[in-house]
Amino acid sequence: MLEKSVVWLQDVGSSDLRLVGGKGASLGEMMSIGLPVPPSFAVTAMAFRAFIDDTGIADRLFKALEIDVNDTRVLKEAENAAKELILMTEMPSKLKEKILDYYDTMCKNEGGEVYVAVRSSATAEDLPDASFAGQQDTFLNIKGGEAVIDAVKRCWASLYNSRAIFYRIEHNFNHREVDISVVIQKMVDSKKAGVMFTRDPSTGAMTSIIEASWGLGEAIVSGSVSPDHYVVDRSSKKIINQMIPTKDKMYIRDPETRETVVVPVPQGMRDARVLTDGEIMKLVEFGEIVEDHYGIAQDAEWGIDEAGKIYMLQSRPITTIKDVSEPSESSEPVEEEIILVGLGAAPGIATGKVKIVRKIDELPKVEEGDIMVTKMTTPDMVPAMKRAAAIVTDEGGLTCHAAIVSRELSTPAVVGTKKATSLLKDKMIITVDGEKGKIYRGSLIKEKVHEEVKVRPVSYRHITATEVKVNISIPEAAEKAAATGADGVGLLRIEHMILGLNKHPSLYIAEGKEDEYINELVKGIKTVADAFYPKPVWVRTLDAPTDEFRSMKGGDDEPIEHNPMLGWRGIRRDLTYTEHFKLELGAFKKLFELGYRNVGIMLPLVQHPSEVKRAKQIMEEVGLDLETTTLGIMIETPAAAIIIEEFLDVGLDFVSFGTNDLTQYTLAIDRNNENVAKLYNERHPAVMKLIEYVIGVCRERGVMTSICGQAGSKPEIVKKLVEFGISSISANIDAVDAVRHTVAIEEQKLIVELVRSNRGLIDK
Ligand code: PEP
Ligand code: MG
């Protein structure tokens, strides 16, 4: 037994999961294929088992865990009792000596007493999901034999954290059958560190992308510095793109306290390239080795120490590349745990307590971190949506209110589940995967280790010829949207703002409070125009369907329509009820008077040029100067696309594709109807043909083209749009970086093709 109680990780591999847990096995596997991993050994799961059996504490330990886990106080008491038992029980001396022996050998090999990270490594084979491993602790900066022994015991004790106990009982795991291994790894104080994607994470292209900064990797993973960015073509092994921004701060480990601290980067290094060509190529090579070994694109962390030695710190599959990679077994919960499926509307994963909202007055029960479950969200639910960790709805498609607002709030959301409000129950713990559109029973949150931030914002700051803008629906999102560095706002929807007032414009008019309404509009638009000034902000006039407006105070007169999507919405509403339109225009007039010349006006849902002509007349009537007003239309109806020439004849500065509607009207698919959501396809050749045609005409006529529908956030469509020659693309806040990146790559490709074809002509 004892010879398997402590092992060097180079002697184990992925088949040794039961012995050294998921983390130990994967590090061992990396070592076994010749990759440089910091020296590491593991106290095996067997050693833990021997500890509780040989010391006779097993029965008492497991007895303490026979509790009602839904009683938080009792759960906490069980945690304390189990932990105390482990911490107070002496480790068998033979095991202790063996651990000390391995630590000494590591220190000797490394030329002195070393700092180590002591990490829990759960034997995930027993479990459906490796995320379980993250429920145990990691201890950093441990030095000295006794401290290592102490940390190993604390890792063991963490097997009985409340969350872990709760999880096991919820999932019917027997505590007696769950073991834990502990990995002891030399800490690398990186001089340079970063991340590497072995393929382009948004397109799957065969380019390695490396981001590097001075000091520890925390700077990059926390997103607090702009790192160097290198793109390497894997077939030619050439650096095809690089950006070297100024790096003014770095994270280092304080030599005295061992705390991670932020310090200024020395002057000479600020603008210097972090990696040499040799280091870049070495990293690419290591990345290829791991990718070849696992047969799937990898997302790796690496560090280079003072002596210039490169270490691979961890690697895991990239799961965002849909066509090239299968999700890893370890991160994919087993099928039977999925309790509900809908449309993944806003990416991200969150676990929390279900709170069902059937009526508005139930909103207060949604507390910070809860999962809000409702039939469909409405603008007056936004404050509760902000508190929620995730949102689940019965109804809706990818462009419904819940989907749009969740994306702006960066809150994971699944919509159109049909039965969330009937199937889920209050206080149930669920996990929502807003990308895959799946809802799991219980907590399946990914591993979270203190020093490793798992959310990795990759900062692509390309300058592109095609502008990349951002869509906004709630002014509260303005700052966050501006922080993306977007080139402006391609769509500011004002109906969310108006619906949020919860008072119908007609009621303002009836009460003689037109100025109040105008001021509300000015306030909301100004928040966005300020955040982006002087970049352009295209504000769309009211586009509210009757069903949504009816629920507002004073909205009783809204007609009841059989299909509101084909009904009295968009410009047709404003042209038949010009009092409303005039108030909106009054708000624009005021903004222009205040100097916000970056604001442009965009008319929704036009289907005939006469509508634009009429709108222009009303604009003149309220005193807007058409010469100086930036005016555009949305291309949302096939009609507008097909007779675009006639629209341009009326005089327009820009057109913007509203593909959410253009798709629904071209394909006859109600975008809010989950029964036909599977048929909804923005890439349909008919939709793409309309777009290509309109861009072509507008280019000839010198009119700007843009897109503000959901399709503009999708890399595969973005590529096509760049190829068609679109002037700008307006994406969701969370997609701006990826879109910018895709645009940059596509533009480069087009330039290269052009240069090559020109060269071909010259050669002849
Ligand atoms: C669209 O139709 O693509 C669009 C952006 O407008 P909305 O989603 O608000 O209808
Ligand atoms: Mg639309």
Side-chain angles (χ1 to χ4, degrees):
M1 169 71 82
L2 202 61
E3 75 272 14
K4 283 277 189 193
S5 59
V6 188
V7 291
W8 291 108
L9 283 193
Q10 61 262 39
D11 297 333
V12 296
S14 50
S15 57
D16 295 303
L17 209 104
R18 286 198 72 86
L19 191 68
V20 293
K23 197 172 284 161
S26 92
L27 286 170
E29 191 70 17
M30 281 218 278
M31 286 177 164
S32 74
I33 54 172
L35 291 172
V37 171
S40 315
F41 62 91
V43 178
T44 66
M46 277 170 153
F48 170 70
R49 175 62 39 182
F51 164 69
I52 55 168
D53 286 342
D54 297 353
T55 55
I57 60 170
D59 279 344
R60 245 189 312 153
L61 178 68
F62 297 126
K63 192 105 194 100
L65 304 175
E66 289 169 9
I67 52 154
D68 170 10
V69 287
N70 292 312
D71 185 330
T72 326
R73 194 182 48 82
V74 170
L75 182 62
K76 192 73 199 156
E77 278 168 12
E79 171 184 342
N80 293 344
K83 284 184 164 175
E84 197 179 315
L85 197 56
I86 288 177
L87 295 175
M88 301 305 281
T89 304
E90 192 69 29
M91 186 186 283
S93 57
K94 278 208 176 116
L95 175 59
K96 188 169 166 179
E97 276 161 26
K98 195 142 189 197
I99 298 173
L100 292 175
D101 202 32
Y102 271 67
Y103 178 66
D104 281 349
T105 307
M106 183 190 272
C107 293
K108 271 197 204 99
N109 292 345
E110 295 301 308
E113 206 168 38
V114 288
Y115 282 100
V116 289
V118 180
R119 304 168 187 272
S120 303
S121 178
T123 53
E125 198 182 57
D126 294 313
L127 304 160
D129 184 82
S131 61
F132 175 80
Q135 294 168 352
Q136 285 83 54
D137 295 342
T138 281
F139 301 95
L140 301 177
N141 299 312
I142 304 293
K143 188 170 164 181
E146 283 305 321
V148 169
I149 298 291
D150 179 57
V152 169
K153 282 180 70 182
R154 283 191 283 151
C155 281
W156 285 349
S158 71
L159 191 56
Y160 304 103
N161 283 342
S162 302
R163 257 185 72 200
I165 301 174
F166 182 88
Y167 181 95
R168 285 195 290 269
I169 295 203
E170 275 282 287
H171 290 81
N172 293 326
F173 287 109
N174 188 342
H175 292 298
R176 290 176 188 269
E177 286 165 16
V178 179
D179 287 336
I180 185 170
S181 166
V182 179
V183 170
I184 293 102
Q185 182 175 50
K186 185 195 157 195
M187 292 200 69
V188 177
D189 287 353
S190 307
K191 189 177 170 220
K192 319 165 171 187
V195 295
M196 162 171 57
F197 295 92
T198 61
R199 293 194 197 193
D200 186 311
S202 51
T203 64
M206 289 291 275
T207 47
S208 284
I209 296 173
I210 298 174
E211 299 209 319
S213 70
W214 299 112
L216 304 173
E218 278 91 331
I220 293 184
V221 296
S222 66
S224 59
V225 300
S226 296
D228 281 9
H229 180 94
Y230 315 96
V231 182
V232 180
D233 175 59
R234 281 180 47 182
S235 51
S236 64
K237 295 285 181 296
K238 292 224 161 61
I239 301 171
I240 53 171
N241 190 3
Q242 68 171 14
M243 264 173 317
I244 317 294
T246 303
K247 297 156 286 285
D248 48 10
K249 57 183 174 205
M250 62 185 189
Y251 288 61
I252 59 161
R253 254 186 262 290
D254 186 297
E256 298 284 302
T257 64
R258 300 292 298 164
E259 293 288 319
T260 301
V261 289
V262 185
V263 295
V265 174
Q267 269 304 337
M269 287 159 63
R270 288 187 182 187
D271 294 308
R273 199 174 184 234
V274 173
L275 294 179
T276 62
D277 281 1
E279 287 166 336
I280 293 171
M281 291 311 155
K282 202 79 206 158
L283 281 168
V284 171
E285 184 192 323
F286 290 160
E288 288 185 335
I289 292 173
V290 202
E291 182 179 310
D292 285 351
H293 183 68
Y294 287 112
I296 178 168
Q298 298 284 308
D299 160 4
E301 282 172 32
W302 52 269
I304 302 180
D305 69 9
E306 266 308 321
K309 183 161 171 54
I310 302 179
Y311 287 105
M312 295 291 279
L313 300 175
Q314 88 176 52
S315 186
R316 70 197 129 218
I318 306 177
T319 48
T320 51
I321 306 172
K322 301 284 183 307
D323 298 332
V324 266
S325 50
E326 293 295 320
S328 77
E329 262 174 41
S330 60
S331 65
E332 179 80 346
V334 292
E335 277 303 308
E336 55 263 34
E337 289 183 304
I338 298 169
I339 49 176
L340 197 56
V341 179
L343 299 169
I349 299 180
T351 291
K353 229 187 252 170
V354 167
K355 292 290 172 69
I356 305 206
V357 177
R358 291 207 166 79
K359 295 190 297 283
I360 290 295
D361 57 11
E362 289 179 327
L363 283 176
K365 75 180 190 188
V366 180
E367 290 171 21
E368 204 69 45
D370 285 342
I371 311 283
M372 178 169 157
V373 178
T374 186
K375 197 163 154 221
M376 174 41 61
T377 60
T378 54
D380 39 11
M381 292 185 181
V382 171
M385 292 172 79
K386 283 186 195 156
R387 294 196 294 274
I391 290 153
V392 181
T393 67
D394 289 349
E395 299 176 349
L398 288 179
T399 55
C400 69
H401 179 268
I404 290 168
V405 175
S406 302
R407 283 195 291 268
E408 285 188 17
L409 295 172
S410 306
T411 304
V414 175
V415 301
T417 61
K418 296 185 184 168
K419 48 190 179 195
T421 55
S422 52
L423 194 114
L424 301 176
K425 300 283 168 262
D426 263 344
K427 301 208 180 122
M428 241 173 116
I429 303 288
I430 58 167
T431 299
V432 177
D433 183 337
E435 184 167 338
K436 297 200 181 95
K438 291 180 180 168
I439 290 151
Y440 306 92
R441 186 186 303 283
S443 163
L444 297 171
I445 273 288
K446 287 221 181 308
E447 183 172 354
K448 205 179 197 166
V449 180
H450 312 306
E451 92 286 21
E452 294 164 351
V453 181
K454 302 286 170 159
V455 181
R456 243 165 300 186
V458 181
S459 42
Y460 302 108
R461 301 263 170 202
H462 302 279
I463 307 293
T464 54
T466 315
E467 288 185 316
V468 178
K469 299 183 178 179
V470 65
N471 296 337
I472 300 182
S473 300
I474 49 173
E476 293 98 309
E479 287 299 328
K480 194 157 69 173
T484 61
D487 298 314
V489 175
L491 165 66
L492 170 59
R493 293 180 167 94
I494 61 167
E495 57 277 4
H496 293 265
M497 218 150 74
I498 297 173
L499 285 159
L501 299 172
N502 201 19
K503 184 165 159 181
H504 198 283
S506 299
L507 188 56
Y508 281 99
I509 296 170
E511 291 174 352
K513 294 188 175 159
E514 289 90 343
D515 281 349
E516 207 179 290
Y517 178 65
I518 290 178
N519 287 341
E520 288 288 354
L521 293 182
V522 169
K523 192 170 86 188
I525 299 171
K526 202 168 140 308
T527 307
V528 180
D530 273 330
F532 280 83
Y533 195 85
K535 293 176 182 173
V537 174
W538 293 346
V539 184
R540 183 174 72 183
T541 57
L542 184 58
D543 181 10
T546 46
D547 53 340
E548 289 184 23
F549 253 43
R550 195 178 316 114
S551 61
M552 296 169 85
K553 205 164 147 206
D556 304 335
D557 290 341
E558 286 285 330
I560 296 180
E561 296 182 320
H562 194 58
N563 188 343
M565 275 296 164
L566 293 174
W568 197 49
R569 57 173 291 216
I571 192 68
R572 32 188 99 158
R573 164 189 278 277
D574 269 350
L575 293 184
T576 46
Y577 206 167
T578 50
E579 289 91 332
H580 287 181
F581 191 39
K582 284 182 179 164
L583 296 184
E584 290 165 52
L585 296 175
F588 286 115
K589 197 167 164 225
K590 203 158 180 179
L591 285 159
F592 297 150
E593 282 162 9
L594 290 169
Y596 289 96
R597 293 309 323 192
N598 58 330
V599 169
I601 303 176
M602 180 156 72
L603 307 175
L605 217 74
V606 295
Q607 46 85 26
H608 195 279
S610 61
E611 292 166 331
V612 183
K613 274 189 207 152
R614 176 77 186 116
K616 281 191 162 196
Q617 269 170 8
I618 303 171
M619 288 164 84
E620 279 186 318
E621 276 167 38
V622 301
L624 281 179
D625 177 3
L626 289 182
E627 283 298 307
T628 56
T629 301
T630 305
L631 179 69
I633 55 167
M634 294 200 51
I635 304 292
E636 289 167 300
T637 60
I642 293 166
I643 56 164
I644 185 65
E645 300 251 22
E646 281 92 323
F647 275 93
L648 300 189
D649 289 344
V650 181
L652 289 171
D653 300 299
F654 67 89
V655 306
S656 180
F657 298 102
T659 43
N660 305 340
D661 280 318
L662 186 60
T663 307
Q664 83 165 340
Y665 299 131
T666 307
L667 308 184
I669 308 284
D670 180 342
R671 60 190 259 193
N672 281 349
N673 184 339
E674 57 277 5
N675 297 318
V676 286
K678 280 211 174 78
L679 293 173
Y680 187 89
N681 174 18
E682 297 124 316
R683 270 173 297 174
H684 190 291
V687 179
M688 297 310 286
K689 205 163 176 175
L690 289 173
I691 294 176
E692 185 175 11
Y693 171 68
V694 171
I695 294 176
V697 172
C698 288
R699 284 178 70 88
E700 272 172 27
R701 304 272 300 255
V703 172
M704 288 183 284
T705 48
S706 189
I707 178 169
C708 55
Q710 199 39 37
S713 296
K714 299 189 175 166
E716 66 279 17
I717 299 180
V718 168
K719 278 194 204 167
K720 279 270 164 226
L721 297 170
V722 173
E723 209 182 296
F724 295 159
I726 201 163
S727 329
S728 68
I729 290 172
S730 192
N732 302 332
I733 297 176
D734 57 2
V736 170
D737 260 359
V739 167
R740 199 189 275 126
H741 175 66
T742 306
V743 168
I745 301 269
E746 197 52 29
E747 286 182 352
Q748 276 175 6
K749 225 167 79 190
L750 293 175
I751 294 168
V752 169
E753 275 166 18
L754 187 71
V755 169
R756 284 189 186 148
S757 69
N758 278 345
R759 194 174 290 156
L761 285 176
I762 292 162
D763 289 347
K764 273 182 203 160

